[in-house]
């Protein structure tokens, strides 16, 4: 193995199911196997995680995919270029509304995404106020909410003001009547349902393409200064991803999620059985086959920024900047190292 440029790393994450490969790699000793001493750092919000990564307080982080194109064009007000060698999850968000609202709107179990969107936009058109939240402006969650609303009314989709809240605060905000619904990754939708506060009304998979949601990210400068360290880090996480997707006994994974405060409700093969298997299925399929970052993921994100954030950018720039968001060389070398 080539000499590592740095061995002690600070690795940031937000408590969501798709940070699991990082936690598993740490618990199973995969980082140590590749010569890394990794400290996991739980961040309070995506904003704090992004800032601490950009300014060097974190070496690498579990990031929203849309943070990378936002950084590439300076839309994040920082403009420090980020890169990813590895996808951590693809399109795994859900839209939840308060149970009171779903009852008022007569939303049914078999309503598709368009039907639920039409009921919501009709409610807004009837001069009712409605507050929806996503996790961060630059996220597939933001664009998923916009695209969902557009299925009912394109004008409302463009003009409705949305709130941004950290994922762990979504359910609390709903309980305190600060918001009426949200788009977030798991397990926070399930948390809301089991508390009797919210109901999942549709999946992001029914609304937007199967694009990268979370990625492992570093700054471009860090990647250039620590190429062997980045390959080692990626190798350990690829090993964790593979083990999690093939795991036969889910109980140690669930225990880890509970220990880290990610799953805060009781579920098992005996209690809340459907939710237990739903979480297990999500974990096994966070990234199905190929965890290599793809240009098309970032092209779609730039196009969404054009559509909803009024970003002025041409197709040639999209292609060029999309390529800069990806460190495919680190992925390929890590994949080869893992397989050998």
């Amino acid at each position: 193995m080539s000499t590592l440029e740095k061995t002690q790393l600070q690795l940031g994450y937000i408590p969501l199911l798709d940070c699991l490969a990082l936690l598993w790699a740490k618990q199973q000793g995969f980082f140590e196997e590749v010569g890394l001493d990794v400290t996991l750092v739980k961040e309070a919000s995506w904003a704090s995680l992004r800032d601490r990564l950009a300014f060097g307080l974190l070496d690498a982080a579990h990031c929203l995919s849309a943070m990378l194109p936002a950084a590439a064009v300076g839309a994040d007000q920082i403009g420090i270029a980020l890169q990813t060698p590895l996808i951590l999850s693809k399109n795994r968000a859900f839209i939840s509304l308060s149970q009171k609202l779903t009852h008022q709107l007569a939303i049914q179990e078999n309503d598709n995404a368009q039907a639920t969107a039409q009921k919501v936009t009709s409610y807004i058109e009837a001069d009712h106020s409605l507050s929806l939240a996503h996790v961060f402006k630059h996220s597939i969650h933001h664009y998923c909410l916009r695209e969902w609303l557009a299925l009912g009314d394109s004008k409302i989709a463009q003009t409705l003001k949305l709130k941004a809240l950290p994922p762990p605060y979504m359910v609390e905000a709903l309980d305190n009547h600060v918001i009426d619904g949200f788009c977030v990754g798991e397990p926070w939708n399930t948390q809301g349902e089991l508390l009797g506060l919210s109901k999942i009304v549709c999946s992001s998979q029914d609304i937007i393409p199967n694009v990268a949601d979370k990625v492992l990210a570093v700054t471009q400068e860090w990647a250039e200064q620590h190429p062997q360290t980045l390959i080692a880090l990626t190798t350990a996480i690829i090993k964790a991803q593979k083990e999690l997707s093939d795991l036969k006994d889910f109980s140690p994974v669930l225990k880890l999620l509970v220990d880290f405060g990610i799953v805060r409700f009781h579920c098992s093969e005996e209690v809340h059985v459907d939710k237990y298997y739903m979480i297990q299925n999500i974990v096994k399929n966070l990234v199905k086959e190929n965890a290599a970052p793809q240009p098309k993921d970032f092209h779609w994100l730039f196009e969404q920024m054009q559509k909803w954030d009024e970003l002025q950018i041409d197709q040639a720039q999209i292609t060029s900047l999309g390529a800069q968001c990806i460190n495919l060389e680190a992925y390929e070398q890590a994949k080869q190292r893992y397989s050998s």
Side-chain angles (χ1 to χ4, degrees), residues 188-210:
W188 302 108
N189 299 278
T190 296
Q191 175 87 13
E193 284 201 341
L194 293 181
L195 290 174
L197 295 169
S198 61
K199 186 173 182 60
I200 296 171
V201 298
C202 58
S203 166
S204 62
Q205 294 182 340
D206 300 325
I207 303 165
I208 63 175
N210 189 36

Side-chain angles (χ1 to χ4, degrees), residues 62-63 80-81 86 89 114 122 140 183 202 229 257 277 284 302 307 335:
H62 161 237
C63 278
I80 295 176
L86 187 67
S89 68
Q114 183 168 6
S122 295
I140 71 161
C183 182
C202 58
T229 302
L257 291 168
Y277 284 107
K284 285 177 172 289
F302 278 116
K307 184 175 182 179
K335 185 76 172 178

Side-chain angles (χ1 to χ4, degrees), residues 174-226:
L174 193 73
D175 191 22
N176 291 331
H177 309 292
V178 175
I179 57 174
D180 302 294
F182 49 74
C183 182
V184 71
E186 281 290 75
W188 302 108
N189 299 278
T190 296
Q191 175 87 13
E193 284 201 341
L194 293 181
L195 290 174
L197 295 169
S198 61
K199 186 173 182 60
I200 296 171
V201 298
C202 58
S203 166
S204 62
Q205 294 182 340
D206 300 325
I207 303 165
I208 63 175
N210 189 36
V211 294
D213 178 358
K214 309 300 188 319
V215 297
L216 174 69
V218 297
T219 66
Q220 183 175 316
E221 181 181 15
W222 195 96
E224 291 169 354
Q225 293 175 351
H226 308 90

Side-chain angles (χ1 to χ4, degrees), residues 11 21-22 25 30-31 86 88 216 232-242:
L11 182 56
L22 280 59
F30 298 159
F31 293 131
L86 187 67
L88 298 176
L216 174 69
L233 179 66
T234 306
T235 302
I237 298 173
I238 287 174
K239 183 172 182 178
Q241 287 180 324
K242 177 63 175 172

